[in-house]
Amino acid sequence: MVHVWRRFRDRTINRAMLQVAMGPVRATFHTLLVQRTRRWSASDGMDQALLDHEDTRSGRLPARSGSI
C-alpha cells in the first residue's frame, strides 16, 4: 500500500491507477468493518461512521444497523 502511494505521490501513476491498485485493500478493509459491526454491537460507532462515509462516497445510501 505504501509503495503504491509513493508511486502516486511521485506521479509515476495517476489517480485512476491508484484507485485500481488500492481496490483489494479497500475491499478487505470494507469486509473487516462489516464483520466488526456485526460482531460487536456495543462498538463506539466509529466502524459504522466509516461505513456510512464509504456509502456516501460511492453514491449509495448509508446502511444503518438497528432501528431508527
Side-chain angles (χ1 to χ4, degrees):
M1 180 172 84
V2 174
H3 175 70
V4 174
W5 172 252
R6 286 183 182 149
R7 290 182 62 206
F8 174 71
R9 186 186 63 198
D10 295 340
R11 298 182 184 202
T12 306
I13 62 173
N14 62 26
R15 183 175 175 82
M17 295 165 81
L18 172 69
Q19 289 174 324
V20 169
M22 293 302 293
V25 174
R26 292 182 69 183
T28 300
F29 188 73
H30 173 81
T31 300
L32 292 171
L33 279 175
V34 169
Q35 288 174 352
R36 189 170 150 84
T37 57
R38 287 181 183 158
R39 197 170 287 155
W40 290 283
S41 60
S43 69
D44 63 2
M46 177 60 83
D47 302 324
Q48 188 61 51
L50 288 169
L51 286 171
D52 290 348
H53 178 73
E54 178 185 74
D55 287 343
T56 58
R57 288 184 52 88
S58 68
R60 296 186 309 251
L61 293 175
R64 292 282 180 182
S65 59
S67 61
I68 296 177

